[in-house]
């Protein structure tokens, strides 16, 4: 079997909730040996209230989603014996990850300065709301807060309804993806320099980096972004949400050929001779009339019928798929995107990597661990015998 990209890379993962665990999960899928260090009893994400059944198991679905392929070591980091364990692990690790507020790990004696002293090649990645420096560095960073500050909410939704959050924790996962990329970059750079380093990932900055085109619209052209509802950033009239017979259809018709394909498939070639719709500027001026023509035609069939018909005709579009529908889409099934792992509760389907490789790609091998499931094995690796481990448990260190 071909080795995965991060086979042999050991990560000590102090992160919790979503942004940090999402980052380490991407690396775990690609072969990294991730030791998740949690407080005794496990982190809060294990008990999110969406499902009482799974929360009572200490294995809530959001936790399962981003902690597969990891090991769990539980420690009370307030105790000197726990910090001694961390120092021993860090001496042999490649990466340490944490997403506490700035300065928390330093106060525990486990910050970059302390850990790099025992391992100069260590890559230390801190993910926080605002970074490790600056006037807001000590503020808590939450997804909703960052969505509000980054400009994402200001450009999302309909003007008449006010700012709108994205329907998922977009800033958390963007920050996690940025963290995984930063760690990958540092690991590659280390092959040239032999040096470790500290990585400072700010959720606010990571989110802004994904708004690069919107930022440039303002800094270059002075354009102030507005809420555009479901219209594409191209601002083309036919790149928007339209009502069909049963539901809605998102058209992504952005060029002239696609426009002609759309109107032909809708049976409305008469618009080609209508001066109101001669080009994109006149179509914008007469958007209400063009929308009425399109929606009148779309009422003849359900959205998924139009989805197939229009895509086949060369007019890009999609009906509105629910999560429970898209995971069984033939395209998703054909590429084995959803991965199934065994558990004490039966087979569980979860998302794996968001990309595929010709060899050595991401694979979900094991379910997220029970809290502390690997404590004894990890400690044994660094020289603790059964008696020493038992003593640590009696002292509530582990």
């Amino acid at each position: 079997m071909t080795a995965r990209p991060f086979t042999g890379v050991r990560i000590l993962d102090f992160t919790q909730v979503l942004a940090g665990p999402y980052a380490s999960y991407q690396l775990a899928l690609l072969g990294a040996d991730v030791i998740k260090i949690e407080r005794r009893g496990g982190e809060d994400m294990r008990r999110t209230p969406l499902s009482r059944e799974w929360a009572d198991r200490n294995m809530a679905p959001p936790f399962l989603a981003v902690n597969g392929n990891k090991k769990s070591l539980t420690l009370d980091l307030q105790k000197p014996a726990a910090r001694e364990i961390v120092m021993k692990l860090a001496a042999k690790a490649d990466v340490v990850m944490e997403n506490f507020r700035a300065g928390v790990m330093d106060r525990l004696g486990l910050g970059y300065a302390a850990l790099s002293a025992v391992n100069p090649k260590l890559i230390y990645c801190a993910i926080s709301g605002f970074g490790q420096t600056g006037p807001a560095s000590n503020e808590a960073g939450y997804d909703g807060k960052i969505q509000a500050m980054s400009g994402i909410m200001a450009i999302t939704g309909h003007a008449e309804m006010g700012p709108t959050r994205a329907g998922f924790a977009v800033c958390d996962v963007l920050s996690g993806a940025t963290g995984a990329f930063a760690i990958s970059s540092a690991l590659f750079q280390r092959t040239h320099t032999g040096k470790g380093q500290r990585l400072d990932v700010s959720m606010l900055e990571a989110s802004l980096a994904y708004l690069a085109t919107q930022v440039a619209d303002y800094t270059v052209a002075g354009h102030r972004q507005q809420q555009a509802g479901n219209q594409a950033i191209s601002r083309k009239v036919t790149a928007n949400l339209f009502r069909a017979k049963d539901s809605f259809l998102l058209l992504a018709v952005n060029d002239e050929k696609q426009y002609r394909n759309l109107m032909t498939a809708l049976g409305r070639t008469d618009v080609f001779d209508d001066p109101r719709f001669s080009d994109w500027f006149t179509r914008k001026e007469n958007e209400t009339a063009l929308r009425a023509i399109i929606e009148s035609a779309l009422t003849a069939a359900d959205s998924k019928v139009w989805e197939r018909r229009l895509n086949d005709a060369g007019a890009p579009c999609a009906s509105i798929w629910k999560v429970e529908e898209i995971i069984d889409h033939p395209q998703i099934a054909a590429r084995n995107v959803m991965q199934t792992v065994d558990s004490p509760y039966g087979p569980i389907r979860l998302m794996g990597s968001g990309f595929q490789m010709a060899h050595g790609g991401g694979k979900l091998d094991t379910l997220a661990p029970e809290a502390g499931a690997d404590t004894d094995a990890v400690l044994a690796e660094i020289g603790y015998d059964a008696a020493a481990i038992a003593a640590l448990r009696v002292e509530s260190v582990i």
Side-chain angles (χ1 to χ4, degrees):
M1 181 181 294
T2 303
R4 297 182 213 176
F6 296 108
T7 297
V9 172
R10 169 161 282 194
I11 299 174
L12 303 186
D13 181 14
F14 293 87
T15 66
Q16 53 190 324
V17 189
L18 184 52
Y22 184 87
S24 57
Y25 179 56
Q26 306 311 306
L27 302 173
L29 288 170
L30 293 167
D33 177 19
V34 178
I35 300 174
K36 183 177 179 67
I37 299 176
E38 305 178 73
R39 63 176 175 270
R40 297 174 70 244
E43 62 143 305
D44 289 344
M45 196 71 157
R46 289 180 174 274
R47 294 174 289 278
T48 55
L50 293 176
S51 166
R52 181 178 295 276
E53 176 187 12
W54 286 95
D56 288 345
R57 292 169 175 167
N58 217 23
M59 297 284 272
F63 178 83
L64 295 178
V66 293
N67 286 288
N69 287 10
K70 301 179 186 179
K71 301 171 182 175
S72 174
L73 166 65
T74 53
L75 292 174
D76 181 351
L77 295 177
Q78 299 292 335
K79 299 189 174 181
R83 294 194 289 272
E84 182 180 341
I85 291 169
V86 172
M87 297 297 279
K88 290 181 178 179
L89 289 169
K92 298 181 179 180
D94 296 285
V95 179
V96 165
M97 299 177 61
E98 54 103 339
N99 62 348
F100 300 112
R101 293 193 198 188
V104 169
M105 288 290 276
D106 288 323
R107 290 193 291 274
L108 290 170
L110 298 173
Y112 176 68
L115 298 185
S116 63
V118 299
N119 182 356
K121 292 187 176 183
L122 186 69
I123 294 165
Y124 184 104
C125 179
I127 302 175
S128 62
F130 303 96
Q132 303 298 300
T133 60
S137 60
N138 288 318
E139 290 189 23
Y142 290 94
D143 178 82
K145 181 176 179 178
I146 303 301
Q147 284 199 41
M149 292 183 68
S150 64
I152 290 175
M153 286 182 65
I155 62 173
T156 303
H158 299 267
E160 64 272 18
M161 298 178 65
T164 303
R165 285 181 66 159
F168 69 109
V170 59
C171 293
D172 274 334
V173 296
L174 292 181
S175 301
T178 300
F181 180 58
I183 290 168
S184 303
S185 300
L187 285 168
F188 183 70
Q189 187 182 53
R190 194 177 67 178
T191 66
H192 305 310
T193 65
K195 296 179 181 180
Q197 62 179 295
R198 179 165 55 183
L199 307 174
D200 183 0
V201 179
S202 156
M203 291 177 65
L204 180 59
E205 294 162 29
S207 300
L208 271 173
Y210 281 88
L211 271 66
T213 57
Q214 287 76 21
V215 170
D217 277 346
Y218 176 71
T219 60
V220 177
H223 175 71
R224 289 177 167 82
Q225 299 289 332
Q226 304 293 324
Q227 291 169 295
N230 294 297
Q231 190 169 52
I233 60 173
S234 69
R235 299 299 188 260
K236 298 293 178 65
V237 174
T238 51
N240 209 330
L241 189 71
F242 294 82
R243 183 176 287 280
K245 181 178 180 180
D246 65 326
S247 181
F248 294 93
L249 192 73
L250 194 288
L251 297 181
V253 173
N254 283 288
D255 64 34
E256 193 64 27
K257 181 179 180 181
Q258 292 170 351
Y259 171 74
R260 297 184 72 85
N261 291 340
L262 169 68
M263 303 315 294
T264 300
L266 294 178
R268 292 303 306 263
T269 56
D270 57 296
V271 302
F272 300 151
D273 298 319
D274 192 323
R276 295 177 300 169
F277 314 124
S278 60
D279 58 28
W280 290 110
F281 297 100
T282 57
R283 290 165 201 162
K284 184 64 177 176
E285 292 169 1
N286 296 283
E287 180 174 3
T288 300
L290 183 57
R291 172 175 281 276
I293 290 170
I294 293 171
E295 290 194 328
S296 177
L298 290 176
T299 58
D302 288 346
S303 58
K304 282 190 169 56
V305 173
W306 281 117
E307 179 181 47
R308 293 191 297 272
R309 190 179 297 172
L310 294 180
N311 280 315
D312 288 345
C317 68
S319 57
I320 308 304
W321 290 72
K322 297 178 181 178
V323 171
E324 58 267 30
E325 296 173 327
I326 194 62
I327 61 174
D328 290 317
H329 189 288
Q331 179 67 16
I332 298 298
R335 290 169 60 83
N336 299 313
V337 175
M338 295 296 295
Q339 301 198 12
T340 301
V341 289
D342 293 327
S343 83
Y345 318 103
I348 293 178
R349 298 173 71 203
L350 297 168
M351 275 297 302
S353 293
F355 62 92
Q356 301 198 12
M357 300 174 67
H359 52 83
K363 185 175 184 297
L364 182 59
D365 301 302
T366 59
L367 191 69
E370 299 280 354
D374 305 285
T375 297
D376 289 20
V378 171
L379 293 181
E381 283 183 20
I382 54 174
Y384 289 81
D385 61 22
I389 294 171
L392 290 170
R393 190 162 279 116
V394 169
E395 296 166 4
S396 299
V397 173
I398 59 176

